[in-house]
């Protein structure tokens, strides 16, 4: 089972999510793909994620998180003992998201939502100072990330499998090139036909 957690202001319509969903469908494994629209509240986002995977054995679960979703995925992987793939993950979102308190819009729909000041405190509860069992983590970080510093990511996931992209951007525009290694880490052969 793969649970994909999108980033701040993103949605299941993100390019990375759509590429992964299409690949899972092509492999006949769409029933093993979950990608919910996350609430703005970190506490509610984590509760939703936990409810979706409550009956999935940790050995059968990989959480893929992009940006803020990577922050959530790290906490969830530590709690559940499952694998996690981190795509340009946020390391200290409390600082980065302070500037976004207020009403903003989703990237893919322009639907407005409110990011409340109390959500900054909620984020604090899901901080992971140091990952345990680095072999359960796969970091993909872009040196050209214009939003987050890849060096923080590399340091935070020390000992984990790491793929450092020279250049690129926060959204990892060429993510299609990395589908096979991401799915392989999830235990799925991306080259297998339906």
């Amino acid at each position: 089972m793969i649970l994909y957690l999108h980033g701040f202001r993103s949605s299941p319509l993100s390019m990375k999510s759509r590429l992964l969903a299409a690949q899972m469908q092509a492999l006949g494994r769409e029933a093993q793909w979950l990608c919910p629209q996350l609430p703005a509240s970190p506490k509610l986002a984590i509760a939703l994620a936990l409810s979706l995977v409550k009956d999935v054995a940790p050995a059968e679960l990989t959480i893929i998180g992009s940006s803020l979703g990577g922050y959530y995925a790290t906490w969830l992987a530590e709690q559940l003992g499952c694998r996690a793939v981190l795509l340009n993950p946020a390391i200290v979102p409390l600082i980065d998201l302070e500037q976004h308190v207020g009403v903003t819009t989703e990237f893919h729909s322009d639907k407005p939502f409110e990011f409340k000041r109390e959500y900054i405190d909620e984020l604090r509860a899901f901080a992971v100072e140091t990952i345990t069992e680095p072999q359960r983590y796969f970091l993909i970080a872009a040196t050209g990330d214009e939003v987050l510093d890849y060096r923080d990511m590399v340091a935070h996931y020390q000992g984990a499998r790491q793929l450092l992209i020279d250049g690129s951007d926060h959204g990892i525009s060429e993510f299609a090139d990395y589908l096979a290694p991401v799915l392989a880490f999830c235990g799925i052969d991306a080259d297998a036909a339906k």
Side-chain angles (χ1 to χ4, degrees):
M1 178 66 69
I2 295 175
L3 172 63
Y4 184 94
L5 303 177
H6 63 73
F8 183 70
R9 294 185 63 197
S10 193
S11 77
L13 297 176
S14 77
M15 176 265 299
K16 294 185 293 292
S17 171
R18 285 184 290 120
L19 283 170
L20 283 162
Q23 187 66 39
M24 291 293 281
Q25 185 171 12
L27 295 168
R29 299 181 85 153
E30 57 269 21
Q32 296 173 306
W33 169 258
L34 296 168
C35 182
Q37 176 66 55
L38 297 176
S41 159
K43 188 163 66 173
L44 293 179
I46 291 286
L48 174 60
L50 286 169
S51 73
L52 289 171
V53 298
K54 68 180 186 312
D55 297 324
V56 181
E60 302 299 316
L61 175 64
T62 304
I63 302 174
I64 301 175
S66 175
S67 194
L68 180 59
Y71 181 80
Y72 295 155
T74 302
W75 186 86
L76 288 161
E78 287 295 316
Q79 301 305 306
L80 301 173
C82 65
R83 294 177 303 270
V85 177
L86 301 316
L87 309 172
N88 281 336
I91 306 301
V92 190
L94 315 173
I95 298 164
D96 303 318
L97 292 178
E98 182 74 36
Q99 63 187 318
H100 294 287
V101 169
V103 176
T104 189
T105 57
E106 293 176 5
F107 286 131
H108 306 101
S109 70
D110 288 332
K111 178 180 162 193
F113 71 94
E114 184 177 6
F115 187 75
K116 299 177 181 177
R117 182 157 302 285
E118 65 211 51
Y119 297 166
I120 300 290
D121 290 330
E122 288 182 15
L123 280 170
R124 201 169 279 118
F126 303 114
V128 173
E129 292 303 316
T130 306
I131 60 166
T132 60
E133 300 184 55
Q135 71 278 7
R136 290 192 288 108
Y137 293 88
F138 179 18
L139 169 69
I140 298 181
T143 65
D145 188 325
E146 71 282 7
V147 177
L148 302 170
D149 191 330
Y150 78 94
R151 292 168 295 200
D152 294 337
M153 303 172 202
V154 168
H156 191 70
Y157 295 97
Q158 193 169 22
R161 178 175 174 192
Q162 297 190 1
L163 192 161
L164 195 59
I165 302 168
D166 187 23
S168 190
D169 51 36
H170 185 63
I172 311 177
S173 296
E174 65 291 328
F175 184 69
D177 297 344
Y178 304 105
L179 284 175
V182 166
L183 289 175
F185 189 80
C186 299
I188 296 169
D189 181 359
D191 298 322
K194 211 194 296 200

